[in-house]
Every structure is written in structure tokens, then in C-alpha cells.
Amino acid sequence: YMSRIRPFINGDLVKVLTGMRRSGKSVMLQLIQQEILQTGAGSNQILTYNFEKMDYASLRTAEALHQAVLSASEGISGKIYLFFDEIQEVDGWEKAVNSFRVSLDCDIYITGSNANLLSGELATYLAGRYVEFIVYPFSLQEFMDLYQTIIPKSTQREMFNQYVASGGMPYLSNLRY
């Protein structure tokens, strides 16, 4: 995924990561942040909002989010990197994102479910100004590569059976399958 996303880092397009729940979208945001930091950006230039957390419940309207981001970005020199995880939790988020795009020197990344993010509202407010990356669960090969690091002596049949039984959701590796 990073090889596909990398050419768009620091660009004007809003980067939209969609996919089913638990497929790794939030982890992708973390990897993008690490890459941005490695290129010389300061950690103060990265503003992250995860709307699955109750910490951000008060920011679930476009107006509240807009004010919070403008306040947080005051005094930051250079490009501001905005990361919004599960943005569909914010009512009218498209208006806030479009406003950031036109009023701040920023690079914007958002995640959410396919059905909610790619609605008519997104097309209306961000038409031609975003690029979508669909994050899928692990393929069988990706699953097997990771599974073998956790259970090295497993056979291909055992790995296949485990893949069929549990699917390719990345988080399962933390549970050691």
C-alpha cells in the first residue's frame, strides 16, 4: 500500500483509505505518519483525530471539528498533516475537510467505511480532489507469510485451513491466531 500512497504524500489531493472494518486502515495511517516523520516533518505538524475514541465525541460536527483543527494548527510552521480516522462519525465532515483543503497548507488523510465515505456528499464536496485507496484483508499469501513467522512449523494445509476458518484480518496475528 505504501508504494501506491507514497507518490501522493504532500500533494493536494485528499487521501481516502476505505475498506471493511478491521482491515488495517488505522495501521496504514500510522505507517504514513512514520514515513512523513522520516522525511523531516516535525511531530507537531501531525494532527490526528480518531473518532472511534470518546475523546473526540465533542468534535462530531463539521463546525466543532473545523474550530478544533484551526485552533490546534495555530503557530505550526510548515505543512500541517491532518489524519482523520473513521471520519464518517462526524456530521458534515465533507464541509470541514474541504475547508481545510482550501484554507490551510495541509496534507489530508481520512479513513472510513466504503458505503459512508463514497456517498453523494463526498462526490459533491471533494469531486476530483481526492484519491481512494481500498485496504483489503490479507490475501492467502500475505496471511501465510505472517502466519509462518508466528507458527513456523505449520504446513501449507494447516495455514490454508486457518485462513479459511479465520479469514485474513490483520489483527488476528496479535492474538496469535
Side-chain angles (χ1 to χ4, degrees), residues 48-60:
T48 302
Y49 301 86
N50 182 342
F51 295 103
E52 285 187 317
K53 293 183 177 182
M54 285 300 295
D55 300 349
Y56 300 109
S58 64
L59 302 181
R60 292 195 176 165

Side-chain angles (χ1 to χ4, degrees), residues 109-120:
Y109 301 83
I110 61 178
T111 73
S113 69
N114 298 35
N116 291 325
L117 281 185
L118 298 179
S119 68

Side-chain angles (χ1 to χ4, degrees), residues 88-152:
Q88 77 274 357
E89 299 297 327
V90 177
D91 291 330
W93 64 267
E94 305 91 341
K95 294 175 187 172
V97 167
N98 196 45
S99 180
F100 301 143
R101 213 186 60 44
V102 298
S103 61
L104 296 173
D105 178 15
C106 63
D107 189 13
I108 303 172
Y109 301 83
I110 61 178
T111 73
S113 69
N114 298 35
N116 291 325
L117 281 185
L118 298 179
S119 68
E121 290 298 308
L122 176 62
T124 300
Y125 286 101
L126 299 178
R129 299 181 197 118
Y130 71 95
V131 59
E132 180 189 11
F133 302 94
I134 301 173
V135 179
Y136 296 100
F138 288 147
S139 67
L140 176 59
Q141 186 59 57
E142 290 167 328
F143 176 90
M144 289 172 56
D145 291 345
L146 180 59
Y147 193 87
Q148 250 183 338
T149 66
I150 296 168
I151 306 171

Side-chain angles (χ1 to χ4, degrees), residues 60-79:
R60 292 195 176 165
T61 66
E63 295 81 10
L65 178 60
H66 189 260
Q67 269 313 116
V69 170
L70 291 182
S71 294
S73 63
E74 285 181 13
I76 296 176
S77 60
K79 189 173 283 287

Side-chain angles (χ1 to χ4, degrees), residues 20 33 80-82 97 137 152 156 165:
M20 63 189 294
Q33 289 176 17
I80 299 166
Y81 298 90
L82 300 174
V97 167
Q156 283 191 339

